[in-house]
Amino acid sequence: MDKIRVLFVGDIVGAAGRKALKEMLPILKRTKNPELIIVNGENAAGGRGITAAIAKEFYDQGVHGITLGNHTWDNKDIFDFIDKEDRLIRPANYPPGTPGRGFTTVKGANGKELTIVNIQGRTYLPPLDCPFQTIDAILEKQKKKSKCILVDFHAEVTSEKIAMGWHLDGKVSAVLGTHTHVQTRDERILPQGTAYVTDVGMVGARDGVLGMERQAVLQKFKTGLPVRFTADEGKWQFHAAYMELDENTGLATKVELIRQFETEMVWA
């Protein structure tokens, strides 16, 4: 069997998340030897959005593709580079005419290719076009060109993510949830061969609240008043999913979750 080894890294939050990625990638390259590395970078710049410099930093470390989400537009300089960068994708179900692209095909080690698609849920998030209809329209065209397809479903509620997993079972290689920043230990290969995880988890400060400084979040909850959130800079946590895909069928043969804390590092 010809297989593709893929590493997908959950939402990278702020400087702590970027530090964690820098420390963990060399280890995972050595232990898992992924041919393609994809990261969600929508929180990489101080917890909100991404910059061209940070995207370059990820590529320089060996990342092949970057997905985004509801914070795509929070750093306004993204409008200067999103149309030029074909390895960076935002949710595909933004209306026609929105800058950027919702899917792309990236090439990794040994010439292996993977199509990555970014879609966003609609429950408790800004109302975009229907993610189910959007992904169906993409697959109608892309399945003729790509066997291996990974979908980053950036959504709030577990029911919407699980529904998307069943909707796409057997149609794509993997459906990986992002956005809620808490890893769900429900990784599995669905009956028709699609790898599924409700949420891969986040990469960022462990002792904040979803990567943000906790005192500000506590103040928000306790007072209901407007508060400025900033990314926490404490000890990091790292969450990712590793998959092996059958290059001939486009289906998954293995999925496992990775969970590591800075305080528990044991590798030399």
Side-chain angles (χ1 to χ4, degrees):
M1 180 187 72
D2 296 323
K3 66 181 179 181
I4 303 178
R5 298 181 297 273
V6 179
L7 178 69
F8 181 91
V9 180
D11 308 53
I12 298 169
V13 184
R18 301 197 305 272
K19 177 184 177 185
L21 183 72
K22 188 174 183 179
E23 293 192 23
M24 285 297 299
L25 271 190
I27 296 166
L28 292 170
K29 286 178 183 179
R30 185 173 72 246
T31 58
K32 299 296 185 184
N33 192 28
E35 290 152 318
L36 286 144
I37 301 170
I38 312 300
V39 305
N40 183 290
E42 72 135 12
N43 301 121
R48 291 182 177 274
I50 192 169
T51 66
I54 290 174
K56 183 179 184 303
E57 175 186 320
F58 291 163
Y59 298 138
D60 289 346
Q61 293 174 46
V63 169
H64 299 96
I66 301 172
T67 60
L68 298 171
N70 59 299
H71 291 297
T72 294
W73 317 110
D74 286 7
N75 266 278
K76 301 310 177 187
D77 67 342
I78 194 168
F79 293 100
D80 297 331
F81 68 90
I82 192 169
D83 282 324
K84 305 171 187 175
E85 180 47 76
D86 60 6
R87 295 171 290 178
L88 176 75
I89 58 173
R90 45 79 177 158
N93 49 329
Y94 274 103
T98 302
R101 55 187 55 77
F103 65 96
T104 192
T105 299
V106 293
K107 183 174 290 188
N110 303 317
K112 304 291 187 178
E113 291 188 353
L114 176 71
T115 293
I116 54 175
V117 185
N118 199 184
I119 50 176
Q120 185 170 305
R122 295 195 293 185
T123 307
Y124 304 133
L125 284 171
L128 300 182
D129 294 343
C130 176
F132 294 87
Q133 293 181 4
T134 298
I135 189 64
D136 285 349
I138 291 171
L139 292 180
E140 187 176 351
K141 297 178 180 179
Q142 199 61 27
K143 281 293 284 185
K144 300 173 184 176
K145 304 175 183 178
S146 305
K147 281 286 188 181
C148 295
I149 301 174
L150 182 152
V151 177
D152 174 351
F153 190 28
H154 199 78
E156 185 78 36
V157 297
T158 54
S159 58
E160 192 175 16
K161 292 179 178 180
I162 293 169
M164 183 62 74
W166 287 115
H167 178 66
L168 293 178
D169 185 23
K171 301 175 184 176
V172 300
S173 307
V175 177
L176 305 179
T178 58
H179 178 66
T180 53
H181 290 205
V182 178
Q183 189 177 82
T184 56
R185 305 293 289 189
D186 63 342
E187 74 278 17
R188 63 181 294 196
I189 296 177
L190 295 172
Q192 301 303 314
T194 294
Y196 175 82
V197 182
T198 299
D199 201 283
V200 174
M202 61 162 277
V203 179
R206 183 181 187 183
D207 294 329
V209 177
L210 305 183
M212 308 307 283
E213 196 280 318
R214 66 176 180 266
Q215 290 304 321
V217 179
L218 285 169
Q219 183 180 348
K220 173 69 174 179
F221 277 120
K222 291 191 289 185
T223 68
L225 297 174
V227 174
R228 182 179 179 84
F229 291 163
T230 58
D232 193 39
E233 298 183 357
K235 297 289 186 179
W236 55 256
Q237 58 183 327
F238 181 95
H239 294 92
Y242 169 76
M243 292 150 291
E244 294 179 1
L245 313 177
D246 186 324
E247 198 171 13
N248 297 311
T249 66
L251 300 177
T253 58
K254 181 176 184 177
V255 57
E256 65 180 50
L257 295 182
I258 296 165
R259 185 170 183 249
Q260 182 64 51
F261 302 116
E262 182 176 7
T263 53
E264 299 173 6
M265 288 286 284
V266 295
W267 293 284

